[in-house]
Amino acid sequence: MRAINNFERSIINRILQYHESGITPNIASVIDPLLHDKDIVLDYQNKSVELKADIQFYNQGNITDVVRQITAELVTTVNLLDYLEKNGYVTTYLESSTTGQQRFGQLVQGHNFVNYNFVDPKLIDLLLDYSLKTILVGQSLIDFAKDGYQSKEDLNNRRNIKIALISLIITATLSGIGLIFSYKSLPPTTIDNKSIKALTEPVKQQNKLDSIDKVNQSQLIEFLKKDTIKTRNINKK
């Protein structure tokens, strides 16, 4: 199941509310709460869809933003229903033939309006196809909503990942415990006097040589000092 956004969740909840109330919904009834002061007119003969908005709230200048919002909501709704049906969450069917013009929405009859004709052919086809179809809710959609909008496959995948992580942690922990016991089972290591002497003797010998060098250097410096003093006395004479 693909990710479901908040708007799509509200549509699914509305469909389920109708279902729980014993009402069989269609897209028209699901979208109707979104159509304050507006109507959607379906023309099956000319294959067109028109939006009518009350002129006292909208005019030709600001209806563009309204159309943009309504179009996005309609596209999302019909695509969601199309997806739910293809994946077995709902079933749709027509109870009677659709001909001529049909309308739904909350525009007050007799009020003046501004209109907009939808131009996207896919949206038009989906609205003409789905708007008046009856929606039968499957148990899978009810379970989907109860499971936090996660499909059974998503839940199984998450459960498998969790099990794999727990198994990995247990394996790593047991391996660490095994290494600790292996280390503790090793016999204690001892170094005899001969080994210690073999390690320390070269250091001692080097220290002795350094001491001899220091003595020789001191003697040489004293000799040079005395010789220099003698030379200076001779020069004075």
Side-chain angles (χ1 to χ4, degrees):
M1 185 74 177
R2 65 173 176 81
I4 301 296
N5 62 39
N6 289 334
F7 178 77
E8 290 174 321
R9 292 184 183 190
S10 69
I11 295 298
I12 292 175
N13 286 338
R14 197 169 296 139
I15 292 173
L16 292 175
Q17 286 170 4
Y18 280 119
H19 173 74
E20 291 169 359
S21 300
I23 301 171
T24 305
N26 54 26
I27 281 192
S29 60
V30 170
I31 295 176
D32 190 75
L34 306 174
L35 298 175
H36 300 293
D37 309 309
K38 292 177 285 292
D39 266 2
I40 297 292
V41 180
L42 308 169
D43 189 335
Y44 289 92
Q45 184 175 350
N46 297 310
K47 294 189 178 301
S48 66
V49 179
E50 181 184 19
L51 172 70
K52 294 182 178 181
D54 196 317
I55 198 169
Q56 62 181 320
F57 301 106
Y58 309 97
N59 56 51
Q60 206 66 45
N62 65 18
I63 195 175
T64 303
D65 293 333
V66 176
V67 168
R68 188 176 293 114
Q69 179 183 350
I70 291 295
T71 300
E73 292 172 345
L74 290 174
V75 168
T76 301
T77 303
V78 293
N79 283 335
L80 173 65
L81 187 58
D82 184 52
Y83 178 83
L84 292 175
E85 183 169 32
K86 287 179 179 177
N87 287 274
Y89 289 90
V90 300
T91 302
T92 65
Y93 66 94
L94 278 172
E95 294 185 351
S96 60
S97 61
T98 51
T99 57
Q101 286 191 349
Q102 303 285 340
R103 59 171 291 277
F104 60 92
Q106 300 182 44
L107 175 65
V108 177
Q109 291 295 307
H111 281 203
N112 292 327
F113 58 86
V114 289
N115 64 318
Y116 172 83
N117 288 300
F118 291 101
V119 296
D120 184 87
K122 182 180 179 181
L123 174 60
I124 293 171
D125 288 342
L126 286 171
L127 283 172
L128 291 173
D129 185 30
Y130 275 109
S131 289
L132 302 180
K133 278 185 174 180
T134 298
I135 303 171
L136 292 181
V137 174
Q139 183 62 41
S140 56
L141 184 64
I142 298 172
D143 295 338
F144 176 66
K146 287 181 178 179
D147 291 333
Y149 302 94
Q150 298 180 84
S151 66
K152 298 299 182 184
E153 292 77 11
D154 293 334
L155 293 173
N156 288 335
N157 289 337
R158 293 191 179 190
R159 183 164 52 250
N160 291 337
I161 291 173
K162 185 181 291 186
I163 292 172
L165 287 174
I166 292 173
S167 299
L168 181 62
I169 293 171
I170 292 173
T171 301
T173 302
L174 292 176
S175 298
I177 294 172
L179 287 173
I180 292 172
F181 278 111
S182 297
Y183 175 77
K184 288 185 176 181
S185 64
L186 292 174
T189 303
T190 57
I191 302 176
D192 55 20
N193 290 332
K194 185 176 180 181
S195 299
I196 294 174
K197 187 175 181 180
L199 291 171
T200 58
E201 191 62 31
V203 178
K204 290 181 179 179
Q205 291 296 329
Q206 185 63 45
N207 289 337
K208 286 182 180 180
L209 292 174
D210 291 343
S211 299
I212 293 171
D213 288 340
K214 288 180 180 178
V215 171
N216 291 338
Q217 289 175 6
S218 299
Q219 291 176 348
L220 177 61
I221 290 170
E222 290 298 323
F223 174 77
L224 290 174
K225 284 181 179 179
K226 290 178 182 180
D227 188 61
T228 301
I229 292 171
K230 289 179 181 180
T231 303
R232 286 179 180 173
N233 292 334
I234 292 172
N235 290 334
K236 287 179 180 180
K237 294 178 180 180

